[in-house]
Amino acid sequence: APLSRRDFFRVAAGLSAATGLAPAMRKVALEPFVRPPEEAMPGEALWYASTCRQCPAGCGIVVRVINGRARKIEGNPAHPLNRGKLCARGQAGLQVLYNPDRLQNAVRQTGGRGSREFQPIPWREAVDELAAKIGEQDDRARLAFLAGILPDHLLVLTNLFLTALGSPPPVLFDLHSALEGREPATRMSARWFGVSQLPTYDIARTEVIFSFGANLLETWMSPVSQSVDFGIMRRGQTGGRGFIAQFESRLSSTGASADEWIPIRPGSEGLIALAIGRVIVEEDLGNVGSHREFAHLYRDVSVDEIAQETGLPVSELRRLARIFAGADRSVAIPGGTLAGLSNGDQAMDAVMALNVVMRRLGREGGVFLGRDVPAEGIGRPGNLSGFSELRDLVTRMRAGEVDVLFIHSTNPIYDLPAWIGFREALEAVPLVVSFGSLVDETSVYADLILPDHTYLESWGYQLVPTGADRPIVSASQPTVQPLYDTRATADVLLALTSALGGEVSEALPWSDEVRFLEETSTAFFDSSISVYEARTTARLWSRWRQFGGWWSEKDIRTEPEAKGLPSEALTVQPAEFAGPAETYPYTLLVYPSVTLSDGRGASQPLLQEAPDPMTTARWDTWIEINRETAAQLGITDNMLVRVSSTQGQIEVPAVIHPGIRPDVVAIPLGQGHEDLGRFAMQRGAQAMKLIAPGAASQNDRLLWASTRVLIQPLLEEKVLARLESLEGEGRETIR
């Protein structure tokens, strides 16, 4: 007989109690964006506010749900970060929820690591096994947690859990964020402003932007917010159309939208910034007063020598300096490409110095810092670990100093070059536990996989780290009931603390994830700056879900102060590249795909089908080669070429691209998966395999933009699937 709604929840509660994870299934009413479910008619669309997790930006979304099924994702029009807009990756989020290759329950790998022989395991048994393993450890420092960009509520709980155990804090590594340069940008802020926080650039109200490798309109930091602000700038909100100069070696969508694309030599960004600054100070350009106090920064800078080294004439450098200094509102942005160079920190300092010289700190159209959320217990956006911390973890694993390793939302075997040795180090860890919802290249070497909910089934919150003009907490709520027998990682940790008891249980007293969030949200009760009014904590919790989080009613930004102004002259050392130039004549630029990101989007066919905006290619990996270089090597479109570095080689078809320097080749990331589901597997190549280590003195950084390669035509053809053609490999997967 059919079950009534009341009987269904009674049965569900009984089943959840039998698993030992009853809190994970506690019934919580879902609050839609427009109206409560009780007012909905069958077939009527309901909209639920939540947060996109396709990248670290933290955009607000609303999800259309009909008869309990999520049907469409749009930007949340009330959210002050993305203001109702959403990128292609955000639109594709339904394919994360409905991916046919998702794990449907907890599993144990019974055939040995890498066997892909999985056997379902009851959740209670999995938790009991983990609790017993942790409980028998005399040295809790032998437990490690490796993660990517965690939801901030989960990061808070994870830190509490590890601290209570006496274990080291989590190591946070995320390839997408590394390509954005988040960790180096945070260190730059610490040097200049004394605050370890990502800077925010007021793009909407500026007149002139000098972007040094910042791909504002594709994948860098907060691309949706930046695209909206770019549109405002272009509409002449400041009295003119706005001007942007893009300094990069490969034409991106940002470069194509710029007034000037300046194809610079890789590694010369900092030198060009120094030359521009020297001209501004020397000629006393601009209307901001004397530059005398900054003269010492450029004491050792020779514009003539920089012109010779970079290939930009002195006249061009002086023209650029006058454009930048001649605007009342100008801003220089150090982008992610700089982070992958051996002189990246120096280059970032040289670019930020332009803003300091032109007094652009805390001014309209200039540089700001975000304001901390005025609430206790919320925490701050989690800063990524340095690459050296990741290397230290690998060293500990290889030395047998890690007995239990948790892995969440990161795929290091796929993301990292082989020379780091993560796969070999993993073999020395007795117990590896993954929380991935898909079997990827790393979780296939796990002993247990305890799949987390997808973000459309999850609770949580994320602090917006950059791109906004006010403090924002983006909230997540389930837009649908979980499709499968998965569990929130937060609830797994809370179940572990309950099983371990003692001080660990006392440090995390919440019965489940939702209780923690309810209590945490009360920190905003009676806030004088809130966008909504809530006179009771129950009303606050309701508003929290209906609005999709909490944020200030008005813009509140911090004006940074140049507390760390260098007392010595700025210098930028020549960039170093791995591989002798006579053997490997071309500099390799790997870049995150606008659709697939660093590879996390490859499991979603909608993103595989979406064409690259600059080449129109899709469903594969390719190498972009300048037409002059291609002619010299006898390479034509779709010809297979072998790309070799000191670390290995891959074979990919060529795309003859006019928007790239002759001495540079570019390969998008995202493909080359051995796992991650049917839409991602055995497609294209992973260019990170080519990335070489830097010098011994630079092993604290992943120098992903500092490798030289050799290009060899193979005289074979592999037709790429293009927007303008139905031919090419890949599309047969969805036919």
Side-chain angles (χ1 to χ4, degrees):
L3 288 174
S4 68
R5 180 180 178 86
R6 178 177 299 174
D7 289 337
F8 170 80
F9 281 111
R10 184 181 297 117
V11 172
L15 290 175
S16 63
T19 67
L21 285 174
M25 288 294 290
R26 182 167 69 88
K27 178 187 173 185
V28 180
L30 303 182
E31 290 284 351
F33 185 73
V34 178
R35 63 182 66 176
E38 289 76 14
E39 298 180 19
M41 298 294 290
E44 182 180 2
L46 299 172
W47 293 88
Y48 291 87
S50 193
T51 299
C52 181
R53 294 287 303 165
Q54 293 279 60
C55 85
C59 293
I61 57 174
V62 289
V63 183
R64 186 177 69 192
V65 178
I66 301 177
N67 296 338
R69 300 281 290 178
R71 302 298 182 94
K72 188 71 171 69
I73 304 176
E74 297 288 356
N76 184 346
H79 201 284
L81 179 67
N82 52 310
R83 291 155 279 182
K85 306 300 187 294
L86 204 61
C87 70
R89 282 176 288 167
Q91 297 274 351
L94 291 179
Q95 295 188 338
V96 177
L97 174 65
Y98 296 124
N99 192 296
D101 299 311
R102 280 183 60 188
L103 285 170
Q104 299 184 16
N105 43 259
V107 296
R108 185 198 307 277
Q109 192 156 202
T110 57
R113 294 180 184 174
S115 66
R116 297 172 178 81
E117 297 176 8
F118 298 110
Q119 179 180 358
I121 177 175
W123 279 96
R124 182 173 183 175
E125 181 179 332
V127 170
D128 288 346
E129 180 178 325
L130 274 179
K133 181 67 175 179
I134 295 172
E136 69 187 20
Q137 285 186 297
D138 295 328
D139 184 2
R140 298 282 177 81
R142 299 177 69 87
L143 184 147
F145 201 114
L146 174 63
I149 298 292
L150 291 175
D152 282 302
H153 82 290
L154 180 55
L155 180 59
V156 170
L157 286 172
T158 300
N159 278 315
L160 289 173
F161 176 71
L162 295 174
T163 301
L165 286 176
S167 302
V171 176
L172 305 179
F173 173 80
D174 179 75
L175 180 57
H176 178 95
S177 300
L179 298 170
E180 292 178 303
R182 286 181 177 246
E183 192 268 335
T186 301
R187 286 190 282 109
M188 176 190 68
S189 287
R191 290 194 300 272
W192 282 92
F193 314 132
V195 180
S196 296
Q197 190 178 107
L198 287 173
T200 294
Y201 303 95
D202 190 8
I203 295 172
R205 297 187 293 179
T206 195
E207 297 174 8
V208 170
I209 298 174
F210 275 16
S211 168
F212 292 84
N215 197 351
L216 304 170
L217 307 182
E218 283 193 22
T219 56
W220 187 74
M221 296 298 181
S222 189
V224 176
S225 173
Q226 290 155 186
S227 296
V228 174
D229 286 343
F230 182 76
I232 295 173
M233 184 196 79
R234 286 300 209 193
R235 290 199 297 270
Q237 300 298 305
T238 58
R241 180 174 178 269
F243 176 91
I244 178 171
Q246 184 77 0
F247 299 83
E248 59 187 6
S249 56
R250 177 239 175 212
L251 183 68
S252 64
S253 292
T254 308
S257 302
D259 297 274
E260 293 190 25
W261 172 58
I262 303 173
I264 61 173
R265 187 175 301 156
S268 66
E269 293 88 346
L271 293 173
I272 293 171
L274 284 183
I276 292 173
R278 171 65 190 238
V279 173
I280 291 173
V281 170
E282 185 178 40
E283 299 185 9
D284 204 22
L285 300 177
N287 301 314
V288 294
S290 172
H291 300 306
R292 184 175 301 173
E293 62 179 303
F294 307 113
H296 69 280
L297 298 177
Y298 303 97
R299 182 179 61 234
D300 301 329
V301 175
S302 169
V303 178
D304 290 335
E305 291 179 2
I306 289 176
Q308 185 174 1
E309 188 166 346
T310 63
L312 287 180
V314 172
S315 58
E316 177 69 359
L317 293 170
R318 294 188 181 278
R319 181 184 71 86
L320 292 169
R322 293 188 178 97
I323 291 174
F324 190 78
D328 292 331
R329 300 175 182 177
S330 57
V331 66
I333 304 177
T337 307
L338 279 60
L341 297 164
S342 62
N343 61 3
D345 286 349
Q346 294 176 326
M348 284 186 166
D349 286 343
V351 175
M352 185 54 67
L354 293 176
N355 297 313
V356 174
V357 169
M358 293 305 302
R359 280 75 164 184
R360 304 307 306 142
L361 304 185
R363 305 289 180 86
E364 284 192 358
V367 184
F368 290 87
L369 294 174
R371 181 68 63 91
D372 286 344
V373 173
E376 295 183 6
I378 288 289
R380 301 183 64 180
N383 289 332
L384 291 169
S385 305
F387 186 61
S388 58
E389 295 175 69
L390 176 64
R391 295 289 304 276
D392 290 343
L393 174 60
V394 172
T395 300
R396 289 178 54 218
M397 292 164 57
R398 188 183 294 115
E401 299 175 3
V402 176
D403 291 334
V404 181
L405 177 66
F406 292 120
I407 301 176
H408 194 294
S409 63
T410 188
N411 188 6
I413 288 181
Y414 171 81
D415 292 338
L416 296 172
W419 56 265
I420 295 174
F422 190 89
R423 178 179 294 181
E424 294 76 13
L426 202 62
E427 295 175 357
V429 180
L431 179 61
V432 178
V433 181
S434 170
F435 296 99
S437 62
L438 286 172
V439 178
D440 60 26
E441 288 80 0
T442 302
S443 62
V444 78
Y445 288 95
D447 302 289
L448 293 175
I449 305 181
L450 310 180
D452 202 342
H453 301 316
T454 65
Y455 70 92
L456 295 180
E457 303 164 307
S458 298
W459 295 94
Y461 66 78
Q462 180 175 344
L463 282 74
V464 173
T466 186
D469 60 0
R470 64 198 69 197
I472 300 174
V473 183
S474 287
S476 297
Q477 67 173 324
T479 61
V480 296
Q481 294 292 340
L483 300 186
Y484 305 119
D485 186 23
T486 55
R487 295 291 187 274
T489 300
D491 281 325
V492 173
L493 296 182
L494 291 172
L496 279 173
T497 62
S498 178
L500 291 169
E503 296 181 359
V504 179
S505 181
E506 293 175 3
L508 289 87
W510 303 279
S511 60
D512 56 57
E513 178 182 45
V514 181
R515 294 290 188 203
F516 168 73
L517 291 170
E518 287 176 339
E519 180 179 316
T520 301
S521 68
T522 60
F524 297 103
F525 179 66
D526 206 24
S527 171
S528 61
I529 62 173
S530 175
V531 71
Y532 47 76
E533 183 179 355
R535 299 182 180 180
T536 65
T537 55
R539 182 64 170 171
L540 174 68
W541 178 238
S542 176
R543 289 294 195 183
W544 170 278
R545 287 170 287 157
Q546 288 181 331
F547 274 74
W550 178 96
W551 46 84
S552 166
E553 183 178 12
K554 298 180 180 179
D555 62 320
I556 305 176
R557 290 182 282 196
T558 301
E559 298 182 5
E561 180 182 350
K563 298 178 180 179
L565 184 68
S567 58
E568 301 296 327
L570 293 173
T571 59
V572 176
Q573 299 297 323
E576 300 176 5
F577 296 89
E582 57 273 13
T583 305
Y584 304 97
Y586 304 103
T587 302
L588 172 65
L589 175 65
V590 296
Y591 63 92
S593 164
V594 68
T595 52
L596 307 185
S597 180
D598 56 356
R600 67 190 66 187
S603 63
Q604 301 160 50
L606 189 151
L607 297 180
Q608 290 275 16
E609 178 72 2
D612 176 77
M614 301 310 298
T615 65
T616 75
R618 50 193 174 180
W619 287 101
D620 212 327
T621 305
W622 59 89
I623 182 169
E624 297 165 19
I625 305 175
N626 180 276
R627 60 181 60 170
E628 296 178 8
T629 304
Q632 293 172 2
L633 298 175
I635 296 173
T636 57
D637 258 327
N638 293 317
M639 180 180 288
L640 272 177
V641 300
R642 179 178 293 121
V643 188
S644 307
S645 74
T646 58
Q647 298 302 302
Q649 61 186 32
I650 60 174
E651 295 181 2
V652 290
V655 170
I656 310 305
H657 190 37
I660 193 167
R661 286 177 57 93
D663 55 350
V664 176
V665 293
I667 303 178
L669 297 175
Q671 305 282 16
H673 284 277
E674 298 176 4
D675 288 282
L676 205 67
R678 69 193 70 181
F679 302 111
M681 291 173 61
Q682 309 304 321
R683 191 178 309 287
Q686 168 59 307
M688 289 299 293
K689 294 180 180 179
L690 301 172
I691 301 302
S697 60
Q698 301 165 349
N699 62 7
D700 61 335
R701 285 174 287 172
L702 179 60
L703 302 181
W704 52 268
S706 301
T707 298
R708 296 186 190 275
V709 294
L710 172 67
I711 309 299
Q712 298 170 293
L714 297 180
L715 304 181
E716 298 177 35
E717 190 175 78
K718 182 180 182 182
V719 178
L720 283 166
R722 300 277 192 124
L723 175 65
E724 60 272 22
S725 172
L726 295 180
E727 297 180 357
E729 296 183 10
R731 304 190 76 253
E732 69 278 355
T733 311
I734 59 173
R735 288 175 183 166

